Amino acid sequence: MRADRLVSLVLLLRQRGRLTADTLARELEVSTRTVLRDIEALSAAGVPVYAERGRHGGFVLSPGFRTELTGLNHDEALALLAAGSGRGEQVFGLGSALASAMRKVVDALPEGHRATASDAAQRILVEPETDLLSRRPVTEEVAGAVMAEVRRAVLAGHKLRIHYAATGQAPRWRTVDPIGLVTVRDRGYLLARRSGADRTYRLSRVLAAEELPEAAERPNRVDLDRIWRERSARFLSDGDHITVLLRVNPARREELLDTVLAVRAEEPDADGRLRLEVTFQDARHAEWALWQLGTDAEALSPQSLRTSLHDRAAALAARYGDSR
């Protein structure tokens, strides 16, 4: 860990020039005292880092100090920098590692490519915190220690104990065989097997985790994309889920899709509206979602949903019918 931090410290000074101990501490997520110890260690190892005194002082490297790697071309570096410009702290607790990797990518470029790739990356924004309607994504928090333990078990192929709070149940410990990690719309999931059965756990509901020394019972190779599709299909066919055929104003399409579990079919209708077949959690969820859209959406089936929406509208009209 310290070796990685020393490399990151050198790269920060290489790319930004003079930096104070406080700034380095914030970037590296350590104390100022740790930064000062690291500076001493670098100097003792022969790295030409020195302090500049005064009001605008800080630590700097001697001009020209670098280790140049030329394996990345401009477009390859730009792709990595653009990918790293998203909310890296949400990538399974790898935010600090991602920031460090991006510094190494920049430093690996030849002198002539470094500035142009960094400037180009500033003109590409991946997954900002809000959309054009100022709606913020729903981000689920996972404790760093929990995420680190889960990640280690998944990558090492070890069994994992998790203290899991399933919906409507008291938290309890379970021992699982982890298969992989998936993130969808800023929500993280652990794909695993438990007692030979497939299980999918939402990471935000894992309250504690412990990597076990025993090897997990799982195949050596895995196709996570295929597994996720299969589990998604099973999820949509289980429980009280309801499939609804509806028509919606195209201007409200995204608002509708934010509430559904899945879109099974979509095509334009004759009058300019969209005809969709979507799945909701249950009938109550479907009624609530379509009520939010008012006359911009119409449920075509099932009839039970049309009836419940009609009765709700009639009750509201009756409440305000004598207000003239």
Side-chain angles (χ1 to χ4, degrees):
M1 289 294 293
R2 191 188 187 197
D4 288 340
R5 190 175 68 243
L6 293 176
V7 171
S8 293
L9 193 157
V10 171
L11 294 179
L12 282 168
L13 294 176
R14 281 274 313 126
Q15 293 161 22
R16 299 193 194 176
R18 183 188 300 108
L19 293 173
T20 66
D22 288 342
T23 300
L24 288 167
R26 285 195 301 272
E27 290 287 341
L28 299 173
E29 298 180 353
V30 296
S31 67
T32 303
R33 179 174 296 181
T34 297
V35 167
L36 295 177
R37 285 199 300 264
D38 288 348
I39 292 290
E40 291 180 3
L42 288 171
S43 297
V47 177
V49 57
Y50 60 93
E52 288 188 348
R53 308 295 180 184
R55 181 179 177 185
H56 301 292
F59 294 101
V60 295
L61 287 170
S62 294
F65 176 79
R66 69 175 284 106
T67 300
E68 183 171 296
L69 301 174
T70 58
L72 293 174
N73 63 35
H74 177 272
D75 286 346
E76 290 170 340
L78 177 59
L80 288 173
L81 291 171
S85 68
R87 297 187 298 279
E89 68 276 7
Q90 297 167 9
V91 186
F92 301 124
L94 294 173
S96 297
L98 179 60
S100 175
M102 290 303 102
R103 288 193 289 268
K104 293 176 183 178
V105 167
V106 172
D107 200 69
L109 294 174
E111 187 72 34
H113 288 174
R114 198 179 318 133
T116 55
S118 295
D119 290 344
Q122 293 177 13
R123 300 185 182 277
I124 300 174
L125 179 61
V126 179
E127 292 293 336
E129 290 189 358
T130 62
D131 62 15
L132 286 176
L133 299 178
S134 297
R135 295 175 298 192
R136 298 180 66 87
V138 178
T139 303
E140 297 186 338
E141 298 294 332
V142 183
V146 170
M147 190 65 254
E149 201 75 7
V150 171
R151 190 172 64 242
R152 281 195 295 268
V154 169
L155 299 182
H158 290 166
K159 288 184 179 292
L160 178 70
R161 284 187 76 228
I162 57 174
H163 195 217
Y164 190 74
T167 303
Q169 300 180 23
R172 62 188 180 90
W173 286 96
R174 311 153 194 251
T175 299
V176 303
D177 296 300
I179 294 174
L181 295 167
V182 176
T183 179
V184 182
R185 293 186 178 181
D186 294 326
R187 291 178 178 173
Y189 298 89
L190 168 67
L191 306 188
R193 291 181 65 80
R194 180 167 172 260
S195 300
D198 291 340
R199 294 288 185 267
T200 302
Y201 300 101
R202 187 177 291 186
L203 290 173
S204 61
R205 295 176 182 163
V206 179
L207 307 180
E210 177 188 0
E211 178 190 4
L212 301 178
E214 296 88 357
E217 298 178 11
R218 65 181 192 178
N220 293 328
R221 300 182 63 84
V222 64
D223 184 348
L224 278 185
D225 188 54
R226 176 185 58 79
I227 293 174
W228 182 254
R229 288 197 306 269
E230 291 174 352
R231 295 195 182 188
S232 296
R234 273 203 307 273
F235 174 76
L236 292 175
S237 63
D238 290 343
D240 298 325
H241 299 163
I242 180 174
T243 298
V244 176
L245 181 63
L246 58 86
R247 297 166 69 249
V248 65
N249 181 340
R252 308 292 295 277
R253 176 183 180 276
E254 294 303 318
E255 188 176 345
L256 168 69
L257 296 191
D258 281 345
T259 65
V260 304
L261 291 179
V263 179
R264 295 179 175 270
E266 179 177 357
E267 62 182 7
D269 213 354
D271 62 355
R273 293 201 165 200
L274 295 174
R275 181 180 289 254
L276 292 95
E277 185 178 3
V278 299
T279 300
F280 289 100
Q281 184 74 41
D282 50 34
R284 184 177 180 182
H285 177 208
E287 180 182 339
W288 171 85
L290 293 180
W291 184 261
Q292 311 308 305
L293 299 176
T295 57
D296 282 330
E298 177 190 1
L300 303 177
S301 67
Q303 183 59 44
S304 58
L305 177 60
R306 289 178 60 87
T307 299
S308 62
L309 286 167
H310 173 274
D311 292 346
R312 187 171 184 174
L316 189 65
R319 174 64 58 90
Y320 292 101
D322 296 331
S323 60
R324 294 181 181 179

